[in-house]
Amino acid sequence: MEPLDQIKARIEAAVPGASVEIVLNAGADGQRSLLMDNPHALAVARFLRDDPSLRLDYASNVTGVDWLDAVIQEKRKVKQVIEGVEREIEETTEQRRPGYLEAVYHLYSMELKHGPLILRLRTGNRTDNPRVPSLTPVWRGAEFQEREAYDLFGITFEGHPDLRRILMWDEFKHFPMRKDYVEPNDYEYEPTPHDEVLEKTKRHYPA
Amino acid sequence: MIATPESSQYELRPKRLADGSVQGDLLEVSMGPQHPSTHGVFRMDVVLDGERVVKLKPVFGYLHRNHEKIGENTTYLGSMPYTDRLDYFCSLTNNWAYALAVEKLAGLQPPERAEYIRVIAAELTRLQNHISLVGFLLQDMGAMGTPLMYAFREREKILDLFESLTGARMMCNYMRFGGCRCDLPPGWLEQARQVADEFPRFLDEFEALLSENEILLSRTQGVGVLSRELAVNASITGPMLRASGVNYDIRKVDKYGIYDRFSFRVPLGEHGDVYDRYMVRILEMRESLKILQAALREIPEGLILDPKAKLRGFRPKPGEVYGRIEAPKGELGFYLISDGSPKPYRYRVRPPSFINLTILEDLCLGHHVADVVIILGSVDIVMGEVDR
């Protein structure tokens, strides 16, 4: 497959207005990924699938990742003049990064037998705007996996044909794969009229 | 099977025929979760028009225990025995997929002998998975007992090999990051060679009884046809994809491990129906035997674990990785994100049989209820992996 920078340039040429960013990977594997902007994601996905030299027709793995609010420390060397002598000083800057949810797609080509190309989509935040566009219209294989990411992470895939819970039961309220999910002490707990009845009884028999 | 028109979420309408007569109501049936043909606790909400399927929605999650969350709360090595429980027929390939992902993340290289042991273990796993699948498929078709028992007799010989190698028949927990847990016991290779030599004779007998059987042909040919385009677009993998005629085998494409040293062919189907899925699995077993024979012949002496590999206090550098192998049911992948701590930040399993269920409705529409059972059988699901 052609290098990632070239793919990025070709996407930006083919889909006007799309901004694509390369996300680095520090692991031994070093496989970098492409971060797409949400409004153009569907058009970019169509381009990646239909482009004759890419033909990424197979969305192998679709999943979510939860990134909490974090403080990123960055160290840089700054030249400063102290007492008339120029010295290099290490300066630490702290940056607050608001949390977000991420949908990750691993794409391969069955026709040309290459890959993977990793796509990432990010939601605005983790609370009131957990939305990304669904890529199920492009790759049907994402259907159940996006439902799973919705079920476990609470990422809302806009444009998904059938976005329901898939593994947890329908009445379940939370998203168990989020990092701040707290497990209940008792999974079997169901509210009963017990307390209400006791209250009523108390009122009925004044002390 | 209860029809409940009041509580139905589907539109219930009598069907009008061309001459204006009414054919009857649609019937909503819940097949499962305790149905002998569903291979575990799996349910299908089926809407029937007489005997024909109009709508089908798979419902699962009864076995869900959030494997991924548990994986994020334990160490890298701590998840290894738990991967056995994903697809409990094929614990050795599950181990391999996970070990491969972590090795890619940490930059480990298993020694030669370990790679050969892995190939032998994986191909034995493929043999016993496919043979029991064929047994179950025929059981679903109504061939009660005999084919399944024949298949299980052969599977038991392979499980005996696993037991003497790893100590467990099914929950093997055998691979480690950068190699394998223990070396082959004395005499194991001879035993394995004997199994590999006898297996083709069994397959011949099995095929002579089944492959041209009138009932099998009429029940499977033209049933549950999956087109090539849909198979690719819906991320179908494994024998099911190849039965639809797409030449995609990760052993050939990625050449992970040492698969580039073995010569084997990738059997392909033409029609993508249940019969092709059955036949592809039978042919794949024959190819597996070729790999197995070669690996058993060429296996060298040497180390079984990368000396650089750390079993305790293992902390890979920050980064992410996706490792995948060709498991008997399809592409099994592990997606890991490390933040430098002893536990993975994100631990994701890409389960083949879960994704292969995506197109179950498309395969079943228009077929009889009895065909739904064999179509599901030919998809080859294991609920431990679907629900995780």
Side-chain angles (χ1 to χ4, degrees):
Chain A
M1 205 166 56
E2 53 196 299
L4 208 60
D5 309 85
Q6 196 184 326
I7 295 176
K8 174 180 182 289
R10 288 214 298 131
I11 290 173
E12 282 168 345
V15 185
S19 78
V20 183
E21 208 179 298
I22 292 183
V23 179
L24 299 176
N25 176 5
D29 186 31
Q31 178 75 48
R32 297 177 299 167
S33 46
L34 290 178
L35 173 66
M36 302 193 292
D37 58 340
N38 292 349
H40 299 96
L42 211 56
V44 172
R46 287 226 169 81
F47 167 75
L48 293 175
R49 187 193 59 183
D50 299 334
D51 185 74
S53 70
L54 287 172
R55 292 290 292 141
L56 297 162
D57 48 8
Y58 165 44
S60 159
N61 178 43
V62 180
T63 187
V65 187
D66 182 16
W67 298 98
L68 293 170
D69 297 347
V71 177
I72 299 172
Q73 288 189 337
E74 214 176 305
K75 282 183 180 169
R76 345 176 254 189
K77 287 192 171 158
V78 183
K79 279 186 182 166
Q80 251 181 9
V81 184
I82 301 170
E83 296 165 4
V85 189
E86 200 183 49
R87 283 184 195 171
E88 264 195 0
I89 300 177
E90 225 174 51
E91 205 178 59
T92 319
T93 50
E94 284 196 350
Q95 212 178 0
R96 258 185 66 78
R97 187 204 63 192
Y100 52 84
L101 297 162
E102 201 171 48
V104 184
Y105 295 75
H106 286 81
L107 308 177
Y108 287 85
S109 171
M110 279 195 186
E111 197 181 305
L112 304 174
K113 302 209 169 30
H114 60 214
L117 180 75
I118 307 165
L119 294 186
R120 309 182 99 88
L121 291 170
R122 285 181 187 170
T123 64
N125 57 32
R126 300 176 66 253
T127 46
D128 59 342
N129 186 22
R131 278 167 229 285
V132 292
S134 167
L135 301 186
T136 305
V138 185
W139 294 288
R140 175 87 192 278
E143 185 184 334
F144 275 19
Q145 304 190 68
E146 282 182 351
R147 265 178 78 183
E148 192 193 333
Y150 162 72
D151 187 5
L152 303 181
F153 286 91
I155 304 173
T156 309
F157 289 91
E158 285 181 322
H160 190 284
D162 184 22
L163 198 64
R164 289 179 292 135
R165 285 198 177 265
I166 191 165
L167 293 173
M168 306 301 283
W169 55 102
D170 289 344
E171 294 80 20
F172 193 76
K173 292 278 183 302
H174 309 281
F175 303 114
M177 278 303 284
R178 288 204 181 180
K179 290 282 173 187
D180 51 3
Y181 171 71
V182 183
E183 292 164 43
N185 286 330
D186 182 7
Y187 282 100
E188 309 279 314
Y189 174 76
E190 278 176 30
T192 61
H194 192 65
D195 295 341
E196 267 174 50
V197 173
L198 283 182
E199 281 299 309
K200 250 188 196 171
T201 329
K202 261 186 205 164
R203 265 183 277 136
H204 203 72
Y205 300 106
Chain B
M1 295 189 183
I2 317 154
T4 53
E6 287 83 13
S7 66
S8 167
Q9 55 175 309
Y10 301 114
E11 211 179 314
L12 290 168
R13 253 192 325 225
K15 198 183 167 200
R16 269 181 202 287
L17 297 180
D19 59 352
S21 61
V22 175
Q23 207 187 26
D25 281 358
L26 297 181
L27 183 69
E28 189 191 339
V29 176
S30 170
M31 277 179 82
Q34 301 294 341
H35 193 276
S37 73
T38 55
H39 300 239
V41 274
F42 176 76
R43 191 159 72 84
M44 287 172 280
D45 269 340
V46 193
V47 178
L48 299 174
D49 173 14
E51 268 279 301
R52 294 204 180 277
V53 177
V54 181
K55 187 170 181 174
L56 182 146
K57 291 284 170 207
V59 181
F60 41 87
Y62 296 98
L63 222 60
H64 179 55
R65 61 250 185 225
N66 221 338
H67 179 90
E68 294 178 7
K69 189 86 177 177
I70 296 169
E72 285 170 19
N73 287 322
T74 180
T75 56
Y76 283 89
L77 186 60
S79 292
M80 183 60 88
Y82 211 48
T83 58
D84 293 342
R85 274 88 179 158
L86 283 170
D87 175 357
Y88 41 79
F89 271 83
C90 319
S91 61
L92 284 162
T93 46
N94 296 346
N95 285 176
W96 192 1
Y98 181 49
L100 188 87
V102 176
E103 280 156 13
K104 270 173 89 176
L105 184 66
L108 297 170
Q109 181 60 46
E112 194 90 331
R113 186 175 171 82
E115 293 276 30
Y116 272 92
I117 297 176
R118 284 180 175 190
V119 168
I120 293 168
E123 294 311 320
L124 283 171
T125 305
R126 201 178 313 278
L127 283 178
Q128 60 98 6
N129 176 75
H130 284 0
I131 198 66
S132 33
L133 172 94
V134 171
F136 280 123
L137 183 62
L138 280 141
Q139 175 102 342
D140 290 345
M141 243 174 259
M144 283 300 173
T146 315
L148 184 63
M149 288 304 124
Y150 272 41
F152 265 46
R153 183 189 64 202
E154 296 309 306
R155 174 173 177 251
E156 206 57 37
K157 292 175 189 164
I158 294 172
L159 292 187
D160 283 347
L161 286 177
F162 289 168
E163 190 177 4
S164 67
L165 175 62
T166 71
R169 289 165 73 247
M170 291 169 82
M171 303 293 122
C172 294
N173 179 20
Y174 181 62
M175 312 268 173
R176 289 292 177 265
F177 313 135
C180 300
R181 194 181 74 206
C182 50
D183 207 344
L184 302 174
W188 193 86
L189 280 176
E190 281 67 52
Q191 234 179 315
R193 266 182 213 123
Q194 204 187 338
V195 170
D197 288 341
E198 284 173 3
F199 206 87
R201 215 161 359 128
F202 157 72
L203 264 184
D204 291 342
E205 183 197 11
F206 208 58
E207 271 211 272
L209 289 170
L210 295 174
S211 288
E212 288 169 24
N213 181 296
E214 190 70 39
I215 302 174
L216 188 129
L217 291 178
S218 59
R219 285 300 303 278
T220 55
Q221 286 189 333
V223 172
V225 177
L226 174 63
S227 74
R228 201 188 147 93
E229 291 71 35
L230 183 63
V232 173
N233 194 247
S235 304
I236 306 302
T237 44
M240 213 177 150
L241 173 76
R242 294 190 283 276
S244 294
V246 184
N247 184 356
Y248 195 78
D249 187 320
I250 298 166
R251 289 176 292 176
K252 289 274 189 199
V253 175
D254 278 12
K255 298 189 173 63
Y256 62 92
I258 47 163
Y259 273 112
D260 49 345
R261 295 185 199 175
F262 302 105
S263 75
F264 62 101
R265 290 179 303 171
V266 180
L268 298 178
E270 263 177 55
H271 312 283
D273 55 4
V274 174
Y275 186 75
D276 277 8
R277 272 170 237 148
Y278 158 83
M279 209 59 216
V280 160
R281 287 189 172 103
I282 295 273
L283 293 172
E284 236 172 57
M285 277 193 273
R286 297 199 185 270
E287 298 303 317
S288 280
L289 282 164
K290 269 194 218 163
I291 302 174
L292 197 59
Q293 304 267 20
L296 287 168
R297 205 168 46 237
E298 293 159 12
I299 181 168
E301 290 295 321
L303 289 174
I304 52 150
L305 197 64
D306 186 354
K308 276 191 300 178
K310 262 170 91 175
L311 290 185
R312 281 161 209 279
F314 177 71
R315 285 157 177 265
K317 278 189 295 181
E320 63 166 55
V321 77
Y322 180 64
R324 58 174 197 162
I325 68 163
E326 180 74 36
K329 291 183 170 62
E331 172 184 332
L332 177 67
F334 280 83
Y335 174 59
L336 300 166
I337 298 181
S338 161
D339 58 355
S341 71
K343 298 172 187 175
Y345 184 81
R346 179 80 179 97
Y347 168 91
R348 150 84 178 166
V349 187
R350 187 246 188 239
S353 48
F354 170 76
I355 293 157
N356 287 358
L357 277 178
T358 311
I359 41 83
L360 185 65
E361 184 176 18
D362 305 54
L363 297 188
C364 294
L365 288 184
H367 285 297
H368 293 293
V369 180
D371 292 334
V372 171
V373 170
I374 55 170
I375 290 170
L376 181 69
S378 73
V379 174
D380 193 8
I381 59 167
V382 155
M383 294 318 287
E385 186 178 72
V386 173
D387 289 345
R388 280 159 297 139

